[in-house]
Every structure is written in structure tokens, then in C-alpha cells.
DNA sequence: TCGTCAATTAGCTAATCGTCTAATCATGAG
DNA sequence: CTCATGATTAGACGATTAGCTAATTGACGA
């Protein structure tokens, strides 16, 4: 949980996720969208991988990154539901204490 | 946005929010729930205040903290909605498109 | 086997974070 | 005013973070 929020706390990484929401992209394609060096982007990818928010698969010389929406959903909506902020079908509960 | 996610990235601060979800509490009451020093807790409160996730009001010698659910909701659900994970503005309704 | 390209690792720096103790501020009681 | 209490500020310290350049790895094509 901490790793997810930590990953989301950086604007660059949030933007990466938004880009991946459109379609899977290679590390190079993603890096081209930002003003920082490729090694820096690689570090961001590692943070996202550690948070289990993206999936990396090798394709020839490239690495294709895909967003894992279910993990993002679990973290965000699960946490929100704990505060009664969202009704995720089965996650609604009544804290009687 | 970054400040909110950064605030949520620490387990102590998430727990503070969960406690405040039950009822408003003073800094001392909150600090008593954790194993860290009061100045450390005060620093956590500052992070939460900077993220606009809590509100602090002075009451005599004490300071009462209250959660600002609407801000948490805005950040979490707003971001989730950007990924099609939750309905945009109707928390009652199902997906409207 | 080489050379090239995509990506990551290695090594470094500056800044930020979480934590502590000690000191300070602010309020209410005597 | 003086003291005690609740809370924050000041200052320090180790760990982590985001960033860079340079070097390395891994997968092609010639």
C-alpha cells in the first residue's frame, strides 16, 4: 500500500501511468515524453514495477510496459472505500464501532 | 495532488486519517496511539495539513484535528476517475457512460 | 564476431524524509 | 507572575529519493 502511494506521489510517474492507460509503450517511447534522462526514467519504471502498477515484458531490444489497472483500482478504491468514499459493490461496510 | 499522495504514502499518516475518520481527536490523543515521539507526530500532522487532508482548530491548550473527507474524496476518486476506475462525480450512481 | 541500439546498472550529488532530544510557545490554574 | 500541561519549533542525523553522466548488459543485423 505504501509502495503504491509512494509511486503515485511523483508527477512523472503519474503521467507515465496516464500514458500507459492509452496503450502499452516501450521504455524509449515513454522516456521520449519527458524531459529527464533515460536512466532517471528507468528508475521511475522500477518504482512502478515495485508497486506492481506496471508490467514489463521484453520484446526484442525493447521493453514494453503495460499498466496493471486492477492493482491501481484495488489500492485507490479499496482505500477510498475504507473511508466510505466509494461503493465498490462488495467493499461497502458499516463500521459499527 | 502530489502532496496528497505523499501524505498517504506513510503508514502512520494513513492510520491517523483512519482514526480521525471515527471522530475528531486532539494531537495528544492521536500521539498516544503511536510509538513515536510527539514532535514526530506533529511533523506528520503538518504534512497532513499541507495536503489539506485535515483541519486543525485550537481548543484551550489542545489542538483538535478533523479529517477533511471531501479533499480525500476529490483526490482519490478524481484520480481514479481519470483511469475510468470510478464514476466521475456521482458517487451514488453507477457508471454513466 | 562486431557494431549498434535499447535499456539498465553503477556511482555520484543535492535535497527531502522520518526520527530524535532539547528548547520554546501558548494556555489555564494558583 | 509562576508553574504545569499540550503542542510546536529548532537543530541534528541517518536513510531515502530524484537527478545526472558514464559504463554495462542484451538482442539484433551485417
Amino acid at each position: 500500500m505504501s509502495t503504491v502511494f509512494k509511486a503515485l506521489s511523483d508527477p512523472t510517474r503519474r503521467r507515465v501511468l496516464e500514458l500507459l492507460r492509452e496503450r502499452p509503450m516501450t521504455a524509449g517511447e515513454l522516456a521520449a515524453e519527458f524531459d529527464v534522462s533515460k536512466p532517471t526514467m528507468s528508475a521511475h519504471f522500477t518504482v512502478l514495477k515495485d508497486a506492481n502498477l506496471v508490467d514489463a515484458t521484453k520484446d526484442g531490444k525493447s521493453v514494453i510496459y503495460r499498466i496493471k489497472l486492477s492493482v491501481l483500482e484495488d489500492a485507490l478504491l479499496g482505500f477510498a472505500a475504507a473511508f466510505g468514499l466509494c461503493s465498490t459493490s462488495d467493499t461497502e461496510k458499516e463500521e459499527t464501532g
Side-chain angles (χ1 to χ4, degrees), chain A:
Chain A
M1 181 70 98
S2 287
T3 55
V4 171
F5 282 124
K6 198 156 287 201
L8 294 179
S9 75
D10 185 275
T12 298
R13 290 193 290 263
R14 286 200 304 275
R15 182 95 188 95
V16 166
L17 291 178
E18 281 173 21
L19 288 169
L20 291 182
R21 190 214 164 200
E22 309 294 327
R23 64 182 172 87
M25 292 174 77
T26 69
E29 283 178 314
L30 285 168
E33 299 280 336
F34 298 86
D35 246 359
V36 299
S37 71
K38 285 210 251 192
T40 295
M41 289 306 295
S42 205
H44 282 308
F45 300 153
T46 296
V47 173
L48 289 169
K49 275 185 289 185
D50 285 352
N52 203 29
L53 287 170
V54 302
D55 193 68
T57 60
K58 198 145 192 188
D59 177 51
K61 277 183 291 188
S62 301
V63 171
I64 303 178
Y65 284 97
R66 288 179 184 79
I67 191 173
K68 294 175 80 170
L69 269 183
S70 64
V71 176
L72 186 62
E73 175 168 352
D74 248 35
L76 253 50
L77 300 195
F79 186 74
F83 286 85
L85 294 177
C86 196
S87 52
T88 54
S89 308
D90 60 336
T91 46
E92 62 174 1
K93 49 178 171 182
E94 286 209 78
E95 299 289 332
T96 48

